[in-house]
Each structure stands twice: as structure tokens, then as C-alpha cells.
Amino acid sequence: MNSTPRPAAARQSTGWCVAGLLLLLPTVALARIAVLAGERGSRCLTYGEQCSGVPDGLIHGFFLTALAAGLLAAVRPRTRWLPARSATVAVQWLAMLTTGALILSGA
């Protein structure tokens, strides 16, 4: 049995990594717009009342985790350590989706 990963699996991992990096900022921007479009978000922006109870440090931490995991997966060798690279891409996507959910939960 050959233990070297297939090139298609390596390309797929790269595609998910790049897609995650490209979608990170739009995810955050659209979530912020959705929050600010609501009554509670606009009240927070205008009067500083009823703002989100989610700490900004938590949101920033997940954002930076998604960014760092995406960059780490992008620089890892494409065909070596495919399981570790795939796990890094999974962490990237999980952190990105958690960032968006945390922003939306403050609505």
C-alpha cells in the first residue's frame, strides 16, 4: 500500500485553505453589517446602549486563529503531512465560522 497522499487530496486541501482565507474578511464584514442593520446594533452605534455582551478580545482571538491557521496551512508542504494540514484547515474554518457566529450573537 502506498502511503503518499494523492495529488487531488492535496489540491483539495489547498483549495479549502485559500477559500477560507479569501472568505475571512467578507464573513466578518457581512456579520457586522447584519448586526448594525438591526435595532439593537444601531442603538449601540448611536447611543452606546445595548451593545454586545461578547468580549471583543474573544472575537479578535478567533479571527486571528483563523488567519494564523490559514496561513500555516498555506505554507505547509502540499503533499507531506496531509492529515496535519487538513486538520489545520479544519481549525481555520471552525475559527472563521465561530467568529461570524460570535459577531451575530451580539445582535
Side-chain angles (χ1 to χ4, degrees), residues 31 34-36 38-41 50-54 101-107:
V35 168
L36 292 176
E39 179 183 346
R40 189 172 172 187
Q50 299 179 356
C51 293
S52 173
V54 179
L102 284 172
I103 293 169
L104 288 174
S105 71

Side-chain angles (χ1 to χ4, degrees), residues 18-105:
V18 170
L21 285 172
L22 291 176
L23 289 174
L24 183 59
L25 286 177
T27 299
V28 171
L30 288 176
R32 291 274 187 203
I33 290 170
V35 168
L36 292 176
E39 179 183 346
R40 189 172 172 187
S42 60
R43 189 163 188 81
C44 176
L45 185 64
T46 306
Y47 302 111
E49 300 172 349
Q50 299 179 356
C51 293
S52 173
V54 179
D56 281 340
L58 187 64
I59 295 172
H60 293 139
F62 276 109
F63 177 82
L64 291 176
T65 300
L67 182 63
L71 292 175
L72 181 64
V75 299
R76 276 205 169 139
R78 193 169 177 180
T79 56
R80 292 179 58 196
W81 302 308
L82 187 61
R85 187 171 189 215
S86 297
T88 307
V89 172
V91 167
Q92 170 194 9
W93 275 84
L94 184 63
M96 179 180 71
L97 293 174
T98 304
T99 300
L102 284 172
I103 293 169
L104 288 174
S105 71

